[in-house]
Amino acid sequence: MILIEGTSKVAFGEGTLTELELTIYQKKQKSPIEYRYDSVNTLLFELYMRTQIMESAKELSKAGVYFADFKKTLCNPMYWHLTNQGRFQLNSGCAPQDAIRDIFTNGSSYAFECSMAVVVVLYKALLESIDPRQFDILFADLLLFDWHSNRKLHLIDRTYNEEAVIGDVLYFENPDFVPSVPWWKGENVVLMENDFYYGHGHGLGIISGEEVIKVLNKNRMLGSIKSAFLTDRYVHPDFSYFAEFQHRLREKPIIAKVGDWIYVRKSWIFNKTW
């Protein structure tokens, strides 16, 4: 259940939410778990950014970035310094927003593994969701690696994957991977629409969960009977934190509170009824 300022009674006017935003909203609204928001604008920001995470995943899947383990990681030296640990450190004097965009427009200059891919997707979605000038301030010393090492993303851990919605980052574990080939240990993925997933590793692209498991199961120790599986844990950025930095020119909805109800509609809709 979604609670905004203590009430779950929210009505959106026609056209206020996109079809995808409405799908996300309805799943969270029907959940037995309470999702609390301090304002309608915070909720709307989350819905918008989740769609941007999905769109960024689609873009990265088509960008021509190669898969590589940390020892063979590549980046464009115009924007990044490649550290000994396979991390991308932003070059001095480069704008973070330009460096992130370069990954999507000059993908053949990059190679990294699946955990860095989901981090890149999240940063790109943030860039599309907040004021770009704020993005440059927040991530002035940007360092790309796996999502465990990116505290500035303010990731929130969840532990019940049935609650995951579009834009969440999940993990498929392969318990019997071959130790000499550690990149088959598992796959970090972004949840897309219609229960599909985006995974950068091993050329997966956008596929179903069954297909992710099938690929991982083909790459485990000889004689193993332990199947790969989707773990319960998943993460997503703290949307309420980043909502404070959204673009000042973004259209603000009309919000009216009448009794226990909150009514929301786009500001340009004047002749429609609720």
Side-chain angles (χ1 to χ4, degrees), residues 151-174:
R151 294 181 180 178
K152 289 190 175 182
L153 284 173
H154 293 264
L155 296 177
I156 294 175
D157 276 288
R158 304 288 189 188
T159 55
Y160 182 50
N161 64 37
E162 291 296 322
E163 286 292 310
V165 295
I166 292 166
D168 285 326
V169 175
L170 298 94
Y171 185 69
F172 284 86
E173 184 174 336
N174 191 13

Side-chain angles (χ1 to χ4, degrees), residues 103 185 196 258:
I103 300 173
K185 182 179 181 180
F196 276 69
V258 181

Side-chain angles (χ1 to χ4, degrees), residues 58-165:
K58 288 180 180 179
E59 288 182 44
L60 191 61
S61 72
K62 301 174 183 177
V65 175
Y66 299 103
F67 174 79
D69 64 17
F70 294 129
K71 295 180 181 179
K72 297 181 180 179
T73 300
L74 296 173
C75 59
N76 185 349
M78 180 180 296
Y79 292 100
W80 306 98
H81 166 66
L82 182 61
T83 73
N84 292 334
Q85 297 80 29
R87 293 170 165 87
F88 296 179
Q89 178 66 64
L90 183 69
N91 287 339
S92 177
C94 290
Q97 61 175 293
D98 294 338
I100 290 295
R101 287 196 176 101
D102 186 67
I103 300 173
F104 290 79
T105 59
N106 194 21
S108 61
S109 296
Y110 294 85
F112 43 71
E113 64 104 62
C114 63
S115 61
M116 187 182 288
V118 297
V119 166
V120 169
V121 166
L122 293 177
Y123 277 119
K124 177 62 160 52
L126 265 172
L127 177 55
E128 299 301 331
S129 303
I130 67 175
D131 188 325
R133 293 170 298 180
Q134 288 290 341
F135 184 90
D136 285 345
I137 293 170
L138 289 170
F139 307 112
D141 57 348
L142 186 58
L143 177 69
L144 296 183
F145 194 48
D146 61 15
W147 48 270
H148 299 283
S149 305
N150 280 264
R151 294 181 180 178
K152 289 190 175 182
L153 284 173
H154 293 264
L155 296 177
I156 294 175
D157 276 288
R158 304 288 189 188
T159 55
Y160 182 50
N161 64 37
E162 291 296 322
E163 286 292 310
V165 295

